[in-house]
Amino acid sequence: MGKEWALVLFTLLAQMSVGLMVVAQALNLKQREGLKPVLLWVGILMAASMVVSLGHLGSPLGAPRAIFNLKTSWLSREIFFSASFFVLWLVNYYLELRTQAGEGVKAISGWLAGFCGILALISMANIYVHTILPAWETAYTHLVFYTTALVLGAILYAVLAYRNRQEGQQGMLKITGILTVIGVALQLLSLPPYLASLSAGPVAAQETARLLLGAAPVLIFSQALAVLGGIVFTFLALRAYGEKGSLLTGQWLYGALALLVLAELASRYLFYATGVSITIGQF
Amino acid sequence: MAGQLGFHVQQDRCIGCFTCQIACKDKNDLEVGQLFRRVREIAGGGYTETGNNAFRADVYAYWISLSCNHCQDPPCVKNCPTGAMQKRPEDGIVFVDQNKCIGCRYCVWSCPYGAPQYNPQIGKVGKCDFCRDLLAKGEQPACVAACPMRVLDFGPLDELKKKYGGTNQIKGLPDPNTTKPSILITPHRDAALGK
C-alpha cells in the first residue's frame, strides 16, 4: 500500500492520546490534582492526529462527510468517536481547570472521554480488519493497536507525571512500568504466530510475509528498541528512583519514551508498507 | 429490484484483443494507470519429462476481462464513510457519486476485484458504473458494444443464467461467497475449477 505516512502518524498519535487519557484516569481515581498537566497533552496529541489524518484524503475539504455512514462503515465510526473523544476531552479539561465542579463530575467526564477514545480505537482497528489485505485483516491488528495505546500512553504518562511531581512517585513508576512491559510483551509474543499464519496463507499473505522478512532489519530494530525502551529503561528508571537518583530516573524515562516512539513508528510503517492486496498479479 | 444487472463473459472465445479495455478507457476518458475494465492473461504449466527424451506439455494460457462485478453484497458500499459509493436499488448497479467522495480509498482496500480506482489528479475514486448513461438511452455498455468476438454480454443476472449458464468462480478469481459478484463466466477449459 506504499508509504502511508499520514496514516502512520495519525494512528500512532491518536492511540498515544487515548492511551494517555485512559492511563491517566485509571491512575488518578482518588487524587485528581496530578491530572492537569497530563490532560493538556491528551488534547495536543489528538488535535495533531486529526490534522495529520487529512493528509491521507484526496479531498480533505470533504472530511466532515466522513461521518455520514455510521450504520455500516467502521471508518465513519472511527472519525465520529475520535471527534467525540476530542470534544469530551475539551469538556473534561475545562472542568478540571476552570471550575469548582466536584471530583465525581470531573471523574465521570474524564471516563466518558476515555470510553469514547476506546471506541475510536476499536473502530480504527476494525477498519483494517474489514479489508481484503491479509496483512491487516487478522486479530493481530486489534492487538497491535490496543497495545500501542497502552505502551505509549503509559510511558508518556510516566514522563509527564514524573516531571510535574517530584515526590512519592514509586507507585506510579511501578504501575506504568508494568503496563509498558505487558504491552511490549504482548506485541513480541504475537509476532511469531502472525508471521507463521501469513506464511501459511494464500499468495498475497505469503507475499506480505516475504516483504516482512525482506525488511527484517527494520522489524528486528523495532522489536529491539521496544525491549530496550519498554523493559530495560523502565526498569532502570524505577531502580534509579529507589536509589534516590532522581535525575537519572528522569533521563531513563525520557530515553524509554524516545525508544518506544521510534519502535512503534518503525513497526507501524511496516504495517502499512506490507499491506499487499489479494488482487496483486491478478486483477 | 427489477433485476440485478450483470455481465456474462464467454471466456473460451476471448482472444485478448483488449478492445473492451480500450473502449472503456475511451468512454470514461481515463488517465494513464486508470482502468475500469482490465484484460489479463493467466498462464501456467510447463513441460514434464516422461523418459526416453520425451516431454509432456501441460502449458496453458487464457484471458479474462473483468470490470466491477456490481456485487450483490458489495463491501465498497458498506465501508464507504460518506455514502458516495452506492448500489442502485432498481438494477443493482454499484456506482460512485464523486461529489460525495473524499478520496479516503477505503473502497480500494475493500474490493477483492480491484474495481475502484483512485485518481490522484482529482483526489477521488472512479469505477465502472455499467455505462448507466448509455443504458438510459437504450444502448449497450461501451465494452459490450466494442467486443469483436462477442465475448461480453450484459443483462439481468437471472436471464443471463438461463441464456448461458456459467459460473462466478474460475481459477484466479477470489472466492465469490463474500461479495456475491454479478458476473457469469463460461470458462476457458483451463480456467474451470476442478480441472
Side-chain angles (χ1 to χ4, degrees), chain A residues 224-261:
Chain A
L225 286 186
V227 170
L228 199 61
I231 298 175
V232 179
F233 277 32
T234 49
F235 172 75
L236 289 172
L238 191 60
R239 200 177 69 168
Y241 190 84
E243 292 169 355
K244 305 286 179 197
S246 58
L247 185 65
L248 269 180
T249 305
Q251 288 173 355
W252 287 124
L253 284 178
Y254 277 114
L257 174 64
L259 292 185
L260 285 169
V261 167

Side-chain angles (χ1 to χ4, degrees), chain A residues 29-215:
Chain A
L29 289 175
K30 291 173 185 164
Q31 172 57 265
R32 302 188 67 79
E33 196 53 38
L35 262 177
K36 290 171 189 170
V38 175
L39 282 180
L40 178 63
W41 281 96
V42 172
I44 290 172
L45 289 169
M46 199 62 202
S49 81
M50 290 194 293
V51 171
V52 167
S53 74
L54 297 177
H56 168 69
L57 299 180
S59 305
L61 292 178
R65 289 200 296 273
I67 58 165
F68 285 179
N69 190 12
L70 290 170
K71 194 177 170 190
T72 61
S73 173
W74 282 107
L75 182 51
S76 271
R77 294 167 189 160
E78 177 210 44
I79 303 301
F80 175 76
F81 287 123
S82 295
S84 303
F85 170 67
F86 187 76
V87 170
L88 288 172
W89 163 81
L90 211 57
V91 171
N92 177 243
Y93 191 58
Y94 178 77
L95 288 174
E96 296 281 357
L97 281 190
R98 308 276 179 202
T99 69
Q100 300 301 315
E103 296 283 292
V105 175
K106 290 176 181 175
I108 288 170
S109 68
W111 276 111
L112 268 178
F115 179 66
C116 219
I118 291 170
L119 292 178
L121 289 193
I122 293 171
S123 305
M124 193 182 286
N126 270 307
I127 288 172
Y128 298 93
V129 170
H130 289 83
T131 64
I132 43 116
L133 283 72
W136 299 350
E137 59 177 357
T138 68
Y140 181 74
T141 302
H142 281 290
L143 193 134
V144 164
F145 279 23
Y146 306 150
T147 51
T148 298
L150 181 67
V151 167
L152 295 182
I155 194 65
L156 184 59
Y157 179 81
V159 167
L160 294 172
Y162 181 78
R163 201 177 62 177
N164 290 292
R165 288 184 303 186
Q166 296 299 321
E167 297 293 324
Q169 301 271 50
Q170 193 133 20
M172 179 278 289
L173 286 174
K174 258 187 196 166
I175 293 172
T176 52
I178 289 169
L179 292 176
T180 310
V181 170
I182 289 173
V184 169
L186 283 173
Q187 288 187 0
L188 281 173
L189 290 173
S190 61
L191 190 57
Y194 173 64
L195 287 173
S197 71
L198 286 175
S199 303
V203 178
Q206 290 173 25
E207 178 62 13
T208 303
R210 197 189 63 75
L211 283 175
L212 276 171
L213 291 175

Side-chain angles (χ1 to χ4, degrees), chain A residues 1 4 7 55-63 65-70 72-76 126-133 136 272 277-279 281-283, chain B residues 38-42 64-66 77-83 98-106 108-115 118 122-124 172-174:
Chain A
M1 281 292 115
E4 297 278 8
L7 292 179
H56 168 69
L57 299 180
S59 305
L61 292 178
R65 289 200 296 273
I67 58 165
F68 285 179
N69 190 12
L70 290 170
T72 61
S73 173
W74 282 107
L75 182 51
S76 271
N126 270 307
I127 288 172
Y128 298 93
V129 170
H130 289 83
T131 64
I132 43 116
L133 283 72
W136 299 350
Y272 284 102
S277 170
I278 61 168
T279 59
Q282 298 173 3
F283 298 97
Chain B
R38 284 142 298 153
V39 178
R40 291 282 183 274
E41 180 193 36
I42 295 177
I64 175 73
S65 169
L66 204 71
V77 173
K78 186 179 160 195
N79 286 345
C80 176
T82 66
Q98 288 194 328
N99 292 321
K100 293 181 180 173
C101 178
I102 58 173
C104 71
R105 283 164 273 173
Y106 197 13
V108 177
W109 296 347
S110 308
C111 175
Y113 300 98
Y118 179 66
I122 58 170
K124 292 172 188 290
L173 285 189

